[in-house]
mmCIF file of all heavy atoms in Angstrom:
data_model
loop_
_atom_site.group_PDB
_atom_site.id
_atom_site.type_symbol
_atom_site.label_atom_id
_atom_site.label_comp_id
_atom_site.label_asym_id
_atom_site.label_seq_id
_atom_site.Cartn_x
_atom_site.Cartn_y
_atom_site.Cartn_z
ATOM 1 N N MET A 1 -16.110 68.342 -18.959
ATOM 2 C CA MET A 1 -15.379 68.147 -20.185
ATOM 3 C C MET A 1 -14.549 66.870 -20.063
ATOM 4 O O MET A 1 -13.923 66.635 -19.046
ATOM 5 C CB MET A 1 -14.484 69.360 -20.436
ATOM 6 C CG MET A 1 -13.986 69.434 -21.841
ATOM 7 S SD MET A 1 -13.101 70.955 -22.232
ATOM 8 C CE MET A 1 -14.319 72.197 -21.998
ATOM 9 N N LEU A 2 -14.549 66.066 -21.084
ATOM 10 C CA LEU A 2 -13.789 64.826 -21.119
ATOM 11 C C LEU A 2 -12.489 65.069 -21.861
ATOM 12 O O LEU A 2 -12.474 65.766 -22.870
ATOM 13 C CB LEU A 2 -14.603 63.747 -21.828
ATOM 14 C CG LEU A 2 -13.941 62.408 -22.044
ATOM 15 C CD1 LEU A 2 -13.905 61.647 -20.706
ATOM 16 C CD2 LEU A 2 -14.703 61.599 -23.054
ATOM 17 N N ILE A 3 -11.398 64.503 -21.371
ATOM 18 C CA ILE A 3 -10.115 64.612 -22.056
ATOM 19 C C ILE A 3 -9.830 63.254 -22.684
ATOM 20 O O ILE A 3 -9.754 62.240 -22.000
ATOM 21 C CB ILE A 3 -8.974 64.995 -21.088
ATOM 22 C CG1 ILE A 3 -9.308 66.274 -20.323
ATOM 23 C CG2 ILE A 3 -7.655 65.099 -21.821
ATOM 24 C CD1 ILE A 3 -9.453 67.499 -21.181
ATOM 25 N N LYS A 4 -9.706 63.230 -24.010
ATOM 26 C CA LYS A 4 -9.436 61.995 -24.735
ATOM 27 C C LYS A 4 -8.229 62.224 -25.629
ATOM 28 O O LYS A 4 -8.284 63.069 -26.526
ATOM 29 C CB LYS A 4 -10.653 61.585 -25.559
ATOM 30 C CG LYS A 4 -10.497 60.275 -26.281
ATOM 31 C CD LYS A 4 -11.781 59.922 -27.007
ATOM 32 C CE LYS A 4 -11.625 58.603 -27.730
ATOM 33 N NZ LYS A 4 -12.847 58.254 -28.452
ATOM 34 N N LYS A 5 -7.139 61.492 -25.365
ATOM 35 C CA LYS A 5 -5.911 61.629 -26.152
ATOM 36 C C LYS A 5 -5.455 63.079 -26.240
ATOM 37 O O LYS A 5 -5.086 63.572 -27.304
ATOM 38 C CB LYS A 5 -6.092 61.027 -27.543
ATOM 39 C CG LYS A 5 -6.375 59.541 -27.522
ATOM 40 C CD LYS A 5 -6.551 58.992 -28.919
ATOM 41 C CE LYS A 5 -6.955 57.526 -28.840
ATOM 42 N NZ LYS A 5 -7.224 56.966 -30.156
ATOM 43 N N GLY A 6 -5.547 63.791 -25.117
ATOM 44 C CA GLY A 6 -5.078 65.174 -25.064
ATOM 45 C C GLY A 6 -6.006 66.191 -25.685
ATOM 46 O O GLY A 6 -5.689 67.366 -25.746
ATOM 47 N N ILE A 7 -7.186 65.762 -26.148
ATOM 48 C CA ILE A 7 -8.138 66.681 -26.779
ATOM 49 C C ILE A 7 -9.351 66.821 -25.866
ATOM 50 O O ILE A 7 -9.923 65.841 -25.418
ATOM 51 C CB ILE A 7 -8.589 66.142 -28.161
ATOM 52 C CG1 ILE A 7 -7.387 65.971 -29.084
ATOM 53 C CG2 ILE A 7 -9.625 67.058 -28.781
ATOM 54 C CD1 ILE A 7 -7.707 65.228 -30.367
ATOM 55 N N ALA A 8 -9.747 68.064 -25.599
ATOM 56 C CA ALA A 8 -10.922 68.314 -24.761
ATOM 57 C C ALA A 8 -12.177 68.040 -25.582
ATOM 58 O O ALA A 8 -12.323 68.538 -26.691
ATOM 59 C CB ALA A 8 -10.920 69.742 -24.253
ATOM 60 N N MET A 9 -13.082 67.226 -25.027
ATOM 61 C CA MET A 9 -14.336 66.896 -25.698
ATOM 62 C C MET A 9 -15.497 67.370 -24.821
ATOM 63 O O MET A 9 -15.693 66.850 -23.737
ATOM 64 C CB MET A 9 -14.430 65.389 -25.920
ATOM 65 C CG MET A 9 -13.318 64.824 -26.753
ATOM 66 S SD MET A 9 -13.416 63.040 -26.898
ATOM 67 C CE MET A 9 -14.966 62.851 -27.740
ATOM 68 N N PRO A 10 -16.246 68.352 -25.274
ATOM 69 C CA PRO A 10 -17.276 68.943 -24.408
ATOM 70 C C PRO A 10 -18.570 68.142 -24.253
ATOM 71 O O PRO A 10 -19.392 68.491 -23.437
ATOM 72 C CB PRO A 10 -17.551 70.293 -25.077
ATOM 73 C CG PRO A 10 -17.180 70.095 -26.501
ATOM 74 C CD PRO A 10 -16.070 69.084 -26.518
ATOM 75 N N LEU A 11 -18.772 67.082 -25.016
ATOM 76 C CA LEU A 11 -19.982 66.257 -24.892
ATOM 77 C C LEU A 11 -21.267 67.086 -25.052
ATOM 78 O O LEU A 11 -22.224 66.923 -24.305
ATOM 79 C CB LEU A 11 -19.980 65.492 -23.568
ATOM 80 C CG LEU A 11 -18.739 64.641 -23.296
ATOM 81 C CD1 LEU A 11 -18.750 64.098 -21.871
ATOM 82 C CD2 LEU A 11 -18.611 63.518 -24.307
ATOM 83 N N MET A 12 -21.261 67.927 -26.049
ATOM 84 C CA MET A 12 -22.362 68.861 -26.242
ATOM 85 C C MET A 12 -23.649 68.208 -26.739
ATOM 86 O O MET A 12 -24.740 68.678 -26.426
ATOM 87 C CB MET A 12 -21.951 69.967 -27.226
ATOM 88 C CG MET A 12 -20.843 70.862 -26.702
ATOM 89 S SD MET A 12 -21.255 71.680 -25.150
ATOM 90 C CE MET A 12 -22.616 72.679 -25.644
ATOM 91 N N VAL A 13 -23.549 67.150 -27.525
ATOM 92 C CA VAL A 13 -24.767 66.538 -28.058
ATOM 93 C C VAL A 13 -25.586 65.931 -26.921
ATOM 94 O O VAL A 13 -26.788 66.182 -26.806
ATOM 95 C CB VAL A 13 -24.444 65.489 -29.146
ATOM 96 C CG1 VAL A 13 -25.722 64.814 -29.640
ATOM 97 C CG2 VAL A 13 -23.706 66.146 -30.312
#
Side-chain angles (χ1 to χ4, degrees):
M1 196 173 298
L2 176 75
I3 305 296
K4 183 177 180 181
K5 297 180 185 176
I7 301 170
M9 301 176 63
L11 306 171
M12 295 302 297
V13 177

